[in-house]
């Protein structure tokens, strides 16, 4: 039995019927590489073996009576893979549009909290018409290839961006007939008959945790005071990151509904690296610059582009710096202006690089464990009630805009990977959306391709496909500008 960290538990408390706190991923797989061919029972059984002792897949949440402490993880002694892995098929010659429509529906379903907090749908009958990294679609018909699509959903309490990429690598292999890393490291050896603690034991440990909890407060107060003092100094010197609550209002900064709309795009990683080489910026700077250009074009087309630049929350992994060993989520965050007020992509990259340099230095000056430490004091009942009240009063539509959207950039493995023997042709990550920020853009690189996953509230962004179409276009504009700068 292990207690959820305050940050992990916060994602449970934040959840409402509209604001579902799960993260998703869409795998596009080539089933022809599976040794002996694909069958759903064989695929499911191979997955069952691979996840046997990975805690995120085999543990469930138990609440502490009277909410005296954060919930605990306990082993699911009745784990059944059939509760989590499902088989569906697209109708007829189902192509990209039909696949995305189904994924929209699946993303809008909450995770069942009575079992381990993950679900997977194996989608058969997908006719891949060849959406390549240059953008756009090819003709359907004889050119379409039969592919498998796997839609995965995991609650944010179990995973963050970095650990999600690690889990993917852990379940995959470098060759189609090789065992997943999970099997090679012996992770499948754990038994599933681990004792599940009783209610009285959970209550007793919760009482002890509640008594000891206030004793940790003095340890985190002084570092937090130091951060405030240093932040004031940075503000005075003009080297602070962009502040929250000063973002312009856009259509995706209202209350969200329970629906979800998805858009997917691909670009070549070499183009990002070439721009980085010429400009001296980081790949993350280039990603944010391209995203800013795409958002500028999308909002301009709809006559909804604000005069001031959009503000994004950018999650930052602190796994290398943290002193904490508990918790699934080990993240901090920085705020970044996206230069949506600048039309020229090269000028936007220059502004982004300078602003991000200050933001990164500011973020690094904040203790790596600050967010996790303060999250420990999130009271379960109060936190959940506050979130429901915030949604009911529609505060996001009346008060200042905290931020416009969330953008994540997750580095993935640079080589081809095989998932249960099937080659991964594409892997699109999809993060959560929030009241007041109904758009999430997540970027993941794998095997030389940058995959973009956009998920939004359909009332806020009814056509995410239109938004993602601008990503390759804006990358091409930025690359052309870099080539001109490099030859000057």
């Amino acid at each position: 039995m292990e207690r959820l960290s305050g940050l992990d538990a916060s994602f449970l408390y934040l959840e409402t019927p509209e604001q579902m706190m799960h993260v998703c991923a869409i795998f596009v797989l080539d089933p022809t590489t599976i040794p002996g061919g694909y069958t759903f029972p064989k695929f499911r059984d191979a997955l069952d073996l691979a996840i046997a002792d990975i805690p995120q897949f085999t543990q469930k949440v138990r609440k502490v009576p009277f909410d005296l402490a954060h919930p605990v993880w306990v082993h699911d002694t009745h784990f059944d893979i059939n509760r989590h892995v499902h088989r569906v098929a697209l109708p007829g010659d189902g192509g990209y549009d039909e696949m995305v429509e189904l994924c929209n529906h699946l993303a809008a379903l909450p995770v069942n909290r009575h079992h381990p907090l993950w679900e997977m749908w194996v989608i058969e009958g997908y006719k891949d018409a060849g959406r390549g990294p240059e953008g756009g679609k090819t003709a359907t018909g004889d050119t379409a290839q039969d592919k498998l699509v796997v839609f995965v959903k995991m609650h944010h309490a179990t995973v963050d961006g970095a650990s999600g990429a690690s889990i993917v690598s852990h379940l995959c292999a470098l060759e189609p007939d090789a065992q997943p890393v999970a099997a090679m490291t012996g992770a499948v050896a754990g038994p599933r008959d681990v004792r599940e603690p009783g209610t009285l034991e959970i209550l007793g440990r919760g009482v002890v945790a509640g008594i000891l909890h206030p004793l940790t407060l003095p340890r985190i107060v002084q570092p937090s005071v130091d951060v405030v003092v240093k932040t004031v100094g940075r503000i005075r010197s003009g080297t602070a990151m962009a502040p929250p609550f000063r973002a312009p209002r856009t259509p995706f900064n209202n209350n969200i509904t329970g629906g979800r709309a998805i858009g997917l795009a691909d670009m070549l990683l070499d183009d990002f690296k070439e721009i980085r080489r010429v400009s001296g910026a980081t790949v993350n700077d280039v990603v944010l610059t391209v995203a800013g250009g795409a958002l500028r074009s999308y909002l301009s087309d709809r006559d909804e582009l604000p005069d001031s630049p959009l503000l994004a929350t950018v999650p930052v992994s602190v796994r290398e710096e943290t002193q904490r060993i508990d918790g699934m989520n080990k993240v901090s965050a920085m705020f970044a202006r996206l230069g949506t007020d600048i039309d020229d992509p090269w000028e936007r990259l220059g502004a982004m690089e300078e602003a991000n340099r200050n933001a990164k230095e500011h973020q690094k000056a904040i203790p790596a464990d600050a967010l996790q430490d303060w999250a420990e004091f999130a009271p379960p009942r109060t936190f959940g009630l506050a979130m429901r009240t915030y949604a009911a009063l529609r505060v996001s539509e009346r008060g200042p805009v905290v931020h416009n959207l969330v953008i994540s950039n997750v580095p993935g493995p640079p080589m081809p990977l095989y998932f249960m023997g099937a080659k991964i042709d594409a892997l699109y990550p999809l993060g959560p959306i929030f009241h007041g920020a109904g758009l999430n853009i997540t970027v993941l690189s794998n095997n030389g391709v940058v995959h973009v996953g956009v998920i939004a509230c359909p009332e806020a962004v009814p056509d995410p496909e239109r938004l993602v179409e601008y990503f390759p276009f804006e990358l091409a504009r930025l690359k052309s500008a870099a080539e001109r700068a490099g030859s000057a």
Side-chain angles (χ1 to χ4, degrees), residues 127-303:
K127 303 295 183 181
D128 186 359
R131 292 171 53 85
E134 301 298 335
K137 305 177 185 178
T138 61
T140 57
D142 293 339
T143 61
Q145 299 179 349
D146 291 329
K147 297 291 177 66
L148 279 178
V149 174
V150 173
F151 184 90
V152 185
K153 180 161 53 179
M154 300 185 72
H155 200 283
H156 214 324
T158 70
V159 69
D160 60 16
S163 62
S166 177
I167 288 173
V168 169
S169 298
H170 198 60
L171 291 176
C172 294
L174 300 179
E175 299 291 341
D177 56 352
Q179 287 184 312
V181 173
M184 291 189 293
T185 58
V188 298
R192 284 188 174 160
D193 59 349
V194 177
R195 182 185 65 86
E196 184 172 332
T199 301
L200 287 178
E201 182 180 351
I202 292 176
L203 174 61
R205 294 193 181 188
V207 170
V208 173
I211 293 173
L212 297 177
H213 197 203
L215 301 179
T216 64
L217 186 58
R219 176 177 58 83
I220 65 175
V221 169
Q222 186 58 51
S224 299
V225 172
D226 293 341
V227 168
V228 172
V229 172
K230 292 177 181 178
T231 296
V232 171
R234 286 181 175 274
I235 292 173
R236 289 174 175 172
S237 64
T239 58
M241 73 173 76
F245 295 99
R246 296 182 63 181
R249 185 163 291 280
T250 71
F252 32 89
N253 300 128
N254 300 308
N255 266 25
I256 60 175
T257 65
R260 296 295 182 266
I262 292 169
L264 312 173
D266 300 301
M267 296 170 286
L268 292 174
L269 181 58
D270 282 346
D271 289 342
F272 286 83
K273 291 181 176 179
E274 177 62 19
I275 296 168
R276 178 191 63 181
R277 184 189 67 79
V278 174
S279 67
T282 67
V283 169
N284 193 58
D285 292 334
V286 179
V287 167
L288 294 176
T289 300
V290 171
L295 286 161
R296 174 185 169 86
S297 297
Y298 174 79
L299 290 171
S300 180
D301 280 352
R302 299 167 61 88
D303 295 322

Side-chain angles (χ1 to χ4, degrees), residues 61 79 89 102 110 136 165 171 247 269 280 298 404 415 461 463:
V61 169
F79 178 85
L102 175 57
L171 291 176
L269 181 58
Y298 174 79
N404 297 114
M415 71 289 289
V461 185
D463 49 355

Side-chain angles (χ1 to χ4, degrees), residues 322-444:
T322 182
Q323 300 298 312
R324 299 176 64 101
I325 60 173
D326 62 323
M328 305 292 188
N329 286 269
K330 293 181 171 61
V331 295
S332 181
M334 71 177 192
F335 295 98
R337 293 190 179 96
L338 297 179
T340 51
D341 57 331
I342 303 173
D343 178 58
D344 182 84
W346 192 248
E347 182 182 348
R348 188 187 315 120
L349 176 60
M352 187 76 65
E353 180 188 7
E354 180 179 0
N356 280 350
R357 189 184 308 115
N358 290 331
K360 290 169 190 173
E361 291 175 356
H362 189 174
Q363 188 273 326
K364 288 181 179 178
I366 299 172
D369 296 328
L371 181 59
Q372 290 93 316
D373 287 342
W374 280 109
E376 293 299 329
F377 294 89
R381 290 181 182 271
T382 305
F383 207 93
L385 177 62
M387 190 66 252
R388 291 189 292 272
T389 303
Y390 179 89
L393 296 178
R394 308 186 77 85
V395 175
S396 64
E397 299 176 8
R398 298 185 174 92
V401 178
V402 181
H403 60 161
N404 297 114
L405 70 155
V406 177
I407 299 182
S408 299
N409 179 22
V410 182
M415 71 289 289
L417 292 178
Y418 296 82
F419 183 65
M420 305 303 118
K423 183 177 182 294
I424 298 177
D425 284 345
L427 173 53
Y428 303 99
L430 300 164
I433 58 175
F434 305 87
H435 291 301
L439 172 64
N440 183 296
I441 300 172
T442 308
V443 177
L444 183 144

